[in-house]
Amino acid sequence: MLFWVISMVMVAVGVYARLMKHAEAALACLAVDPAILLIVVGVLMFLLTFCGCIGSLRENICLLQTFSLCLTAVFLLQLAAGILGFVFSDKARGKVSEIINNAIVHYRDDLDLQNLIDFGQKKFSCCGGISYKDWSQNMYFNCSEDNPSRERCSVPYSCCLPTPDQAVINTMCGQGMQAFDYVEASKVIYTNGCIDKLVNWIHSNLFLLGGVALGLAIPQLVGILLSQILVNQIKDQIKLQLYNQQHRADPWY
């Protein structure tokens, strides 16, 4: 019931975020829109928890079996994703790089995506995918001579090194940084890419990630087990009712 309510809130927030965006910008970055991810996860979670809640309340075997099978499929997909990500780490790294580069291209098209990237770059003290010069993939930050943007050859403010006791954020601190080499740029901004930072963070927090994965897996396994126990109990009750009906119809009963 708790996850059912959470799923409805997620869908509501995702739909509201989509409606608040301009249609052109929303369609341009559909594949990397956090609101779309929120809606998709919320809808799937709603359908799954709906089957579990209503199936339990109404003692509906069909809904409970659907709940159990879907939960099993989700658990197996998570397990497969973890194993494949570990075995094919190079391909997983390439996929992450592709997602980050796509997000960089649409940085200015979606405010939610922009805030997410800025948070990530400040959190991991990084800039771009491989390096800070990856920001040239964005049409506003591109270093080409024919780029009329005022942000030409710049990087977002989230790439800048923090200034002690800074009362007001200087959003133009990354102006022209792509034109400098690594040594000169490193005095003002982070020059390391976010992919390496992310990989290093994962390696240093394997136990934490393992605990989170275990924390997600245990409720799923408990849900599968309890739904199957309830299904078996319902089937036993049905058999008992049929048995009683047959013996009541017997004239020698």
Side-chain angles (χ1 to χ4, degrees), residues 18 76 207:
R18 285 292 299 175
L76 292 176
F207 288 107

Side-chain angles (χ1 to χ4, degrees), residues 5 8 15 27 42 49 55 79 89-91 96 110 121 160 162 166 175 184 206 210 212 217 221 223 227 241-242 250:
V5 174
M8 287 188 281
V15 171
L27 290 174
T49 51
L79 185 63
S89 56
D90 292 337
K91 291 186 178 180
V96 170
D110 187 347
Q121 291 191 145
C160 297
Q166 186 180 25
Q175 187 73 28
E184 293 178 336
L206 286 177
V212 172
L221 293 173
S227 62
Q241 289 176 356
L242 292 174
D250 190 347

Side-chain angles (χ1 to χ4, degrees), residues 97-113:
S97 178
E98 181 184 338
I99 293 172
I100 291 177
N101 288 334
N102 194 21
I104 287 174
V105 170
H106 296 291
Y107 176 76
R108 288 294 190 206
D109 300 335
D110 187 347
L111 184 60
D112 292 334
L113 179 64

